């Protein structure tokens, strides 16, 4: 990509991290600003956990637990196991090193630092060449309501209850009332290229888009906006995107994702398994690239990122 180009990526957790580990190799990492979802954030065991920010940080640092896709490689679980023996409810597993990242975040927040400050500092500590920003400094918890009327934090729905399919509502009202972090709108407005990572469109990209002014900034920016579909062969690779898309009445397909982003996005990368949707996606006004988007290793991540960059260059 040409020198001086400013890239922004809207990111959730694992899918985004897989794309971004490729992007930082095919572009200068210093030109990339990553806007991470904090709708999944919650306090566990007295510490502020930011699952998506940490997945991206650990992955770009080359320290992620590769088989899980989150947490740190080689981490131990003494803290959580001991808490469990003390009788605490420990359905959210947090490794010891991971716990220390979250404890550091909590202590800094208590001292008065913003989540943006702490996230930048953690990025420096983990020697990340790109800027990782939380979408907001305010609390934006996503809540899920089930058909039986129960309402719970997204992590309770996903991890504690195993993401059941009887979802009646995804409640992003907290994000809707929060301001984006101080650099979010300026970085979108001044970007040359914006990537929508292959993340859960409802609970990872959705909260970022729900923040005051973000969607409007995406309408106003001159940037080329390219999304990578998180739906492959008509379903998500992992996670409850299918259940949550159905709950908001969106078709579980690459075309469904294209529809969801069509007011601000003009480029779409989707998987060759979904090639029959090419015409339908083009009809929505997209320029497209169809390829194998299963980023099972570093080389595959770089291939998808390179194609996304190529598509963005063609749009501009
Ligand atoms: P989280 O990790 O649970 O926070 O979830 P994400 O926001 O990252 O979203 C998970 C989505 O990423 C799912 O819909 C997956 O289908 C998608 N995803 C994960 N890995 C890949 C991949 O290699 N390629 C593509 N195209 N999508 C992926």
């Amino acid at each position: 990509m040409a020198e001086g180009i400013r890239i922004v990526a809207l990111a959730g957790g694992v899918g985004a991290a897989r794309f971004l580990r490729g992007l930082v190799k095919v572009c200068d990492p210093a030109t990339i600003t990553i806007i991470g979802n904090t709708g999944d954030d919650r306090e566990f065991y007295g510490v502020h956990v930011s699952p998506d920010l940490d997945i991206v940080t650990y992955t770009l640092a080359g320290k992620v637990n590769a088989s899980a896709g989150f947490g740190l490689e080689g981490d131990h679980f003494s803290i959580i196991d001991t808490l469990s023996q003390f009788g605490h409810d420990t359905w959210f597993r947090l490794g010891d090193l991971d716990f220390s990242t979250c404890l550091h975040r909590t202590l800094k927040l208590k001292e008065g630092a913003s989540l943006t400050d702490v996230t930048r500092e953690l990025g420096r500590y983990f020697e990340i060449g790109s800027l990782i920003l939380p979408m907001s400094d305010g609390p934006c918890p996503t809540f899920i309501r089930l058909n039986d009327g129960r309402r719970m934090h997204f992590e309770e729905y996903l991890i504690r209850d195993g993401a059941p399919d009887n979802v009646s509502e995804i409640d992003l009202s907290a994000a809707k009332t929060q301001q984006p972090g101080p650099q979010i709108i300026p970085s979108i407005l001044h970007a040359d290229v914006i990537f929508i990572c292959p993340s859960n469109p409802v609970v990872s990209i959705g909260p970022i888009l729900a923040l005051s002014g973000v969607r409007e900034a995406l309408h106003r920016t001159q940037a080329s906006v390219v999304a990578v579909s998180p739906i492959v062969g008509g379903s998500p690779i992992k996670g409850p995107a299918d259940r949550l898309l159905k709950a908001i009445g969106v078709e579980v397909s690459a075309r469904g994702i294209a529809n969801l982003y069509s007011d601000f996005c003009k480029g779409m990368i989707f998987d060759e398994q979904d090639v029959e949707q090419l015409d339908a996606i083009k009809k929505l006004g997209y320029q497209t690239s169809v390829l194998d988007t299963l980023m099972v290793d570093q080389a595959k991540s770089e291939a998808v990122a390179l194609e996304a960059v190529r598509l963005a260059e063609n749009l501009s």
Side-chain angles (χ1 to χ4, degrees):
M1 185 151 274
E3 238 172 78
I5 290 285
R6 289 155 297 187
I7 301 171
V8 164
L10 307 194
V14 177
R18 283 174 147 193
F19 174 71
L20 291 166
R21 73 180 174 189
L23 191 66
V24 296
K25 294 292 181 218
V26 303
C27 297
D28 175 0
T31 62
I32 304 170
T33 298
I34 299 160
I35 299 176
N37 168 46
T38 58
D40 298 8
D41 285 25
R42 216 199 89 158
E43 189 171 305
F44 288 99
Y45 325 118
V47 296
H48 181 121
V49 183
S50 295
D52 283 355
L53 295 176
D54 288 347
I55 287 169
V56 169
T57 303
Y58 296 161
T59 302
L60 295 185
K63 293 187 170 169
V64 78
N65 176 332
S67 55
F70 57 86
L72 285 153
E73 194 69 67
D75 212 348
H76 296 279
F77 291 84
S78 319
I79 297 172
I80 208 80
D81 289 341
T82 311
L83 286 173
S84 180
Q85 283 163 20
F86 280 135
H88 292 276
D89 203 357
T90 54
W91 51 265
F92 192 90
R93 303 278 294 165
L94 203 55
D96 299 348
L97 295 173
D98 206 359
F99 191 95
S100 60
T101 302
C102 299
L103 179 55
H104 171 68
R105 175 184 293 119
T106 310
L107 294 172
K108 293 303 265 187
L109 291 172
K110 283 210 168 118
E111 282 171 17
S114 67
L115 189 58
T116 298
D117 295 337
V118 189
T119 307
R120 290 188 78 139
E121 195 219 324
L122 282 168
R124 283 193 292 272
Y125 174 82
F126 283 98
E127 299 180 346
I128 309 300
S130 302
L131 179 60
I132 304 177
L133 297 173
M135 65 184 202
S136 174
D137 283 331
C140 304
T142 298
F143 286 92
I144 303 292
R145 193 180 291 281
L146 301 182
N147 289 335
D148 60 13
R150 281 185 303 142
R151 183 176 179 270
M152 60 191 74
H153 187 279
F154 178 69
E155 293 297 345
E156 294 169 343
Y157 164 78
L158 181 73
I159 311 285
R160 187 192 63 194
D161 294 355
D165 63 4
N166 55 337
V167 175
S168 64
E169 186 196 347
I170 294 102
D171 179 357
L172 302 178
S173 56
K176 284 180 189 158
T177 57
Q178 289 292 339
Q179 291 299 317
Q183 288 147 279
I184 303 302
I185 300 290
S187 51
I188 291 173
L189 290 178
H190 298 133
D192 299 295
V193 173
I194 298 177
F195 293 119
I196 315 297
C197 294
S199 293
N200 188 311
V202 188
V203 292
S204 293
I205 303 300
I208 305 176
L209 299 178
L211 289 164
S212 168
V214 167
R215 213 162 185 130
E216 291 78 1
L218 286 164
H219 293 155
R220 281 174 53 204
T221 183
Q222 299 295 309
S224 304
V225 186
V226 171
V228 181
S229 173
I231 300 297
V232 174
S235 56
I237 293 160
K238 70 171 255 300
D242 49 350
R243 281 145 271 175
L244 301 180
L245 283 167
K246 274 185 207 146
I248 60 165
V250 173
E251 183 184 275
V252 184
S253 66
R255 176 176 50 204
I257 305 299
N259 232 328
L260 208 53
Y261 297 156
S262 63
D263 58 313
F264 60 83
C265 186
K266 289 286 161 278
M268 177 95 173
I269 305 259
F270 63 98
D271 199 87
E272 57 199 18
Q273 294 180 48
D274 303 304
V275 68
E276 80 286 352
Q277 305 203 337
L278 181 64
D279 288 344
I281 293 173
K282 280 190 167 160
K283 271 199 192 122
L284 290 167
Y286 280 91
Q287 284 188 42
T288 56
S289 265
V290 183
L291 74 158
D292 175 4
T293 66
L294 278 175
M295 296 175 281
V296 290
D297 56 28
Q298 179 64 34
K300 296 291 282 297
S301 291
E302 288 176 30
V304 174
L306 200 58
E307 190 55 27
V309 167
R310 199 196 56 75
L311 184 57
E313 282 171 341
N314 283 351
L315 286 183
S316 51

